[in-house]
């Protein structure tokens, strides 16, 4: 069982950067795949990035080259470094954990395959 708490959201200008953190509890943290999703008002929750226990990463095309997901098992934390932020990145960002390794981008992007979710953190990018 994993409990997730996101932090690091805020208001930034277009072109700026933010680093989101997701603190995880549980002895099985290192064996879980971790993902970031986001949800804008009136839209469905969409995949942003994921990282498996092996370190393999996956990114949505919309953020590839701008966002970087990483994890620090010693600190039980997963991060999302967001650079070159755009107004269309504005959303509530959620951290999620899956019991299984994501073998494909399609599986990593499927929110139904994640078992645990954080409460979300607001990211607002102004123009």
């Amino acid at each position: 069982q994993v409990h997730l708490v996101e932090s690091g959201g805020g208001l930034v200008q277009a072109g700026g950067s933010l680093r989101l953190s997701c603190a995880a509890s549980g002895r099985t943290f290192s064996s879980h795949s971790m993902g970031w999703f986001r949800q804008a008002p009136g839209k469905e929750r969409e995949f942003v990035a994921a990282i498996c226990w092996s370190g393999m990463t996956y990114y949505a095309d919309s953020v590839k080259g701008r966002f970087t997901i990483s994890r620090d098992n010693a600190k039980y934390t997963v991060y999302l470094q967001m650079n070159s932020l755009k107004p269309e990145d504005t959303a509530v960002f959620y951290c999620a954990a899956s019991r299984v390794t994501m073998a494909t981008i399609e599986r990593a992007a499927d929110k139904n395959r994640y078992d645990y979710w954080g409460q979300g953190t607001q990211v607002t990018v102004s123009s």
Side-chain angles (χ1 to χ4, degrees), residues 13-125:
Q13 294 185 359
S17 299
L18 281 175
R19 188 180 74 160
L20 305 183
S21 298
C22 175
S25 64
R27 299 188 185 95
T28 60
F29 172 75
S30 63
S31 65
H32 281 79
S33 297
M34 305 293 296
W36 285 98
F37 290 75
R38 65 187 182 187
Q39 187 167 19
K43 296 185 178 180
E44 295 184 9
R45 192 169 299 185
E46 67 174 358
F47 171 73
V48 176
I51 185 168
C52 298
W53 69 267
S54 64
M56 187 172 186
T57 58
Y58 304 89
Y59 296 95
D61 289 340
S62 60
V63 306
K64 191 174 298 183
R66 299 189 297 125
F67 293 7
T68 302
I69 188 171
S70 62
R71 64 192 296 166
D72 186 337
N73 290 340
K75 296 181 178 180
Y76 306 102
T77 302
V78 62
Y79 305 96
L80 184 68
Q81 178 66 45
M82 305 186 295
N83 299 325
S84 302
L85 283 163
K86 306 174 181 179
E88 49 262 46
D89 293 319
T90 296
V92 176
F93 281 69
Y94 297 90
C95 179
S98 174
R99 293 178 180 270
V100 300
T101 299
M102 303 300 182
T104 66
I105 181 66
E106 289 79 16
R107 290 192 66 187
D110 184 359
K111 61 180 181 294
N112 295 315
R113 295 185 180 273
Y114 291 81
D115 305 294
Y116 311 102
W117 294 84
Q119 84 289 348
T121 185
Q122 177 70 49
V123 171
T124 302
V125 184

